[in-house]
Amino acid sequence: MAQTRRSERGFTFIEVLVVMGIIAVLAGLTDVAMNLIVRRGPEFATESRVKKVKATVDQWRQRFDQYPPTDPNRLRKIAGGAEGLPAAPNAFNVGIETLYQAFYWPTFNGDPALGDAELANTDEDEYAKPTTQGKIVYEIVDDWGSPLVFFVHTDYAKADGSPPSYINFRGEEVTPRPWKYSDEDRGFAEPRGVQVFSMGEDGEPNTDDDVKSWE
């Protein structure tokens, strides 16, 4: 009988406070989780894109026994099968623009599966005549809108002393350099391979928020 009377009485004030406290904690954790997802969403997407680009670079190397070049004039020499590219419209973003052309080169049978959101033309340039990919000179970009940076190991020394010019998502000219290990005695990262990296949320190369294709 006592048990029946207690159940009819409902929750006590203390029990209601405890339940409300639990709900508040869960709501707070949900907000934290959502903020983390929103903040890290572009980073996760960019990490995936960088890995996809690096995997396609490796496929290209297997196909032609060389890494894709950063100089568009060397594409035909390595991969053949095309008339070559017109002269580059400007000196911005050349490394990643060449890589985009390499991925869609007629003699390469890889599938980079790049969607519209993964491409941009931050320096707003066009070829004088259409290529197999049209006249617009596309770059593969990160989720913040800056071009990915691409270096081949044979470029490292020259690019370190005279870094190329890239245009980031803010339209600013920046000059990325090949990454070196923190222990400089070890030299460049990926010394026999390639470096693919994003300039990160700040749009500035060679800073802590860069997203790299290597550990």
Side-chain angles (χ1 to χ4, degrees):
M1 195 68 175
Q3 180 68 29
T4 301
R5 285 197 299 270
R6 177 175 173 79
S7 63
E8 291 174 350
R9 198 170 64 242
F11 291 110
T12 67
F13 181 67
I14 297 299
E15 289 170 335
V16 171
L17 289 179
V18 169
V19 172
M20 291 178 65
I22 292 172
I23 292 172
V25 169
L26 292 176
L29 291 175
T30 300
D31 286 343
V32 170
M34 289 302 297
N35 288 336
L36 182 62
I37 290 170
V38 170
R39 186 169 64 251
R40 294 215 61 194
E43 184 176 345
F44 286 138
T46 297
E47 287 174 356
S48 175
R49 193 166 307 155
V50 166
K51 289 178 181 178
K52 178 169 67 174
V53 169
K54 176 59 167 59
T56 308
V57 167
D58 291 338
Q59 291 176 23
W60 213 91
R61 182 174 183 269
Q62 291 175 357
R63 171 70 177 83
F64 299 110
D65 201 32
Q66 291 187 53
Y67 286 113
T70 53
D71 178 356
N73 295 319
R74 296 193 61 234
L75 268 172
R76 187 185 179 198
K77 295 177 182 178
I78 296 173
E83 294 182 359
L85 292 174
N90 60 42
F92 299 116
N93 306 330
V94 173
I96 196 63
E97 290 172 348
T98 303
L99 185 61
Y100 170 78
Q101 293 289 339
F103 282 178
Y104 291 98
W105 201 253
T107 56
F108 178 55
N109 297 320
D111 182 15
L114 296 168
D116 291 344
E118 299 171 293
L119 303 174
N121 183 16
T122 62
D123 54 339
E124 301 180 344
D125 55 348
E126 293 185 355
Y127 286 117
K129 62 180 181 178
T131 69
T132 56
Q133 294 305 308
K135 292 185 68 174
I136 296 176
V137 190
Y138 283 110
E139 309 106 26
I140 307 168
V141 297
D142 60 27
D143 222 48
W144 296 280
S146 294
L148 298 181
V149 181
F150 175 60
F151 290 119
V152 182
H153 66 94
T154 50
D155 301 329
Y156 292 169
K158 180 180 178 181
D160 187 49
S162 180
S165 295
Y166 273 60
I167 303 296
N168 66 15
F169 70 91
R170 289 188 295 270
E172 301 166 342
E173 181 179 351
V174 293
T175 51
R177 284 180 164 84
W179 273 88
K180 296 180 179 179
Y181 290 110
S182 55
D183 177 2
E184 292 199 4
D185 290 340
R186 296 178 62 191
F188 294 105
E190 299 294 289
R192 296 180 181 274
V194 299
Q195 295 185 11
V196 181
F197 63 91
S198 156
M199 295 185 258
E201 184 176 8
D202 63 5
E204 296 291 336
N206 306 109
T207 58
D208 289 342
D209 70 342
D210 287 11
V211 180
K212 310 176 194 117
S213 61
W214 65 98
E215 296 297 330

